[in-house]
Amino acid sequence: MIQHRQASSTKRIPLLEAQNGIVLSWMQHPRLTQHNIGFAHRFGKTVDVHRLHDAMLLTAERHDTFKTRIAHTEEGFCQYIDSSITFDVKVSTMADAEFVAYQRTFVRPFDMLNDVLIRMEIVETESAVYAMVDMAHCIADGYTMARFWDEVDATYQGKHPETDDHLELAISRSEERRVGEECRSRWS
């Protein structure tokens, strides 16, 4: 049986239809990674690992999207922002040959109801530095991943990018859908 966290008292937003489908699919197959969005970026050895670490961490902290929790309530699944979430960017060193095997294990299933829904890691090898990110698709998409890396790059360069939180868009779409459904039921 899947154990889950109860929704906090913060504002709860119903899941969008696509998000709900992802969570229901995960409940049926919790060991699959079909709803993960993983990416590894290869940098040359000249990259400053500490600056890259800080840029990744700051980018994640800057967006409430990555602090999203999924919870189950009497009404069904919902999402909410858990401001107590802290992020970690693991930094490790290994041989090139080890990394080839290791990178295959980086993307792994999320516990949608309990895990922080983003993982970040930097691996330094003899020939390169790899920055890896794994996001749960119920809080992110390909556009989110691209924006994440754009912001990591800008932050690494000392710029301060403006944030445009993707969860706010999801919230407004969810509210629009709910209002639309209420209107349709009244006029049917």
Side-chain angles (χ1 to χ4, degrees):
M1 181 172 180
I2 295 174
Q3 298 294 317
H4 63 282
R5 149 192 323 270
Q6 294 298 316
S8 74
S9 61
T10 62
K11 184 176 181 180
R12 299 177 207 167
I13 307 300
L15 295 183
L16 297 172
E17 190 174 327
Q19 290 174 303
N20 202 51
I22 289 169
V23 172
L24 292 174
S25 174
W26 166 77
M27 289 185 74
Q28 292 175 345
H29 308 284
R31 292 190 176 103
L32 297 181
T33 58
Q34 66 190 17
H35 298 297
N36 291 47
I37 302 172
F39 188 83
H41 190 86
R42 186 180 193 274
F43 295 94
K45 290 292 287 182
T46 58
V47 73
D48 181 329
V49 172
H50 297 291
R51 265 181 51 207
L52 179 58
H53 170 276
D54 292 348
M56 291 172 71
L57 194 59
L58 286 170
T59 298
E61 289 172 348
R62 205 179 278 135
H63 292 280
D64 283 345
T65 297
F66 302 121
K67 296 175 184 172
T68 301
R69 292 276 193 190
I70 306 297
H72 191 262
T73 66
E74 291 175 9
E75 295 83 34
F77 291 104
C78 66
Q79 57 190 321
Y80 67 97
I81 303 302
D82 182 351
S83 58
S84 70
I85 287 179
T86 56
F87 299 102
D88 182 39
V89 180
K90 181 181 170 187
V91 178
S92 55
T93 304
M94 61 184 71
D96 285 319
E98 283 179 274
F99 179 73
V100 170
Y102 178 74
Q103 71 180 348
R104 292 186 190 118
T105 66
F106 178 70
V107 173
R108 57 194 183 280
F110 285 100
D111 177 339
M112 297 283 185
L113 301 176
N114 292 298
D115 288 349
V116 173
L117 300 176
I118 181 173
R119 294 185 189 103
M120 301 174 284
E121 186 168 351
I122 298 171
V123 177
E124 194 169 3
T125 69
E126 309 88 60
S127 65
V129 173
Y130 297 90
M132 301 183 297
V133 173
D134 183 16
M135 299 177 186
H137 193 32
C138 64
I139 66 160
D141 57 14
Y143 177 77
T144 308
M145 182 67 82
R147 288 287 309 188
F148 177 86
W149 287 112
D150 288 346
E151 288 191 29
V152 168
D153 180 47
T155 304
Y156 181 88
Q157 294 179 40
K159 299 174 187 169
H160 302 283
E162 293 182 30
T163 61
D164 59 340
D165 206 295
H166 302 97
L167 183 60
E168 290 304 317
L169 177 61
I171 290 168
S172 66
R173 285 184 180 163
S174 179
E175 187 63 18
E176 287 171 12
R177 187 190 73 211
R178 186 189 61 73
V179 169
E181 288 171 359
E182 284 177 11
C183 288
R184 277 191 297 281
S185 69
R186 273 189 240 144
W187 296 102
S188 299

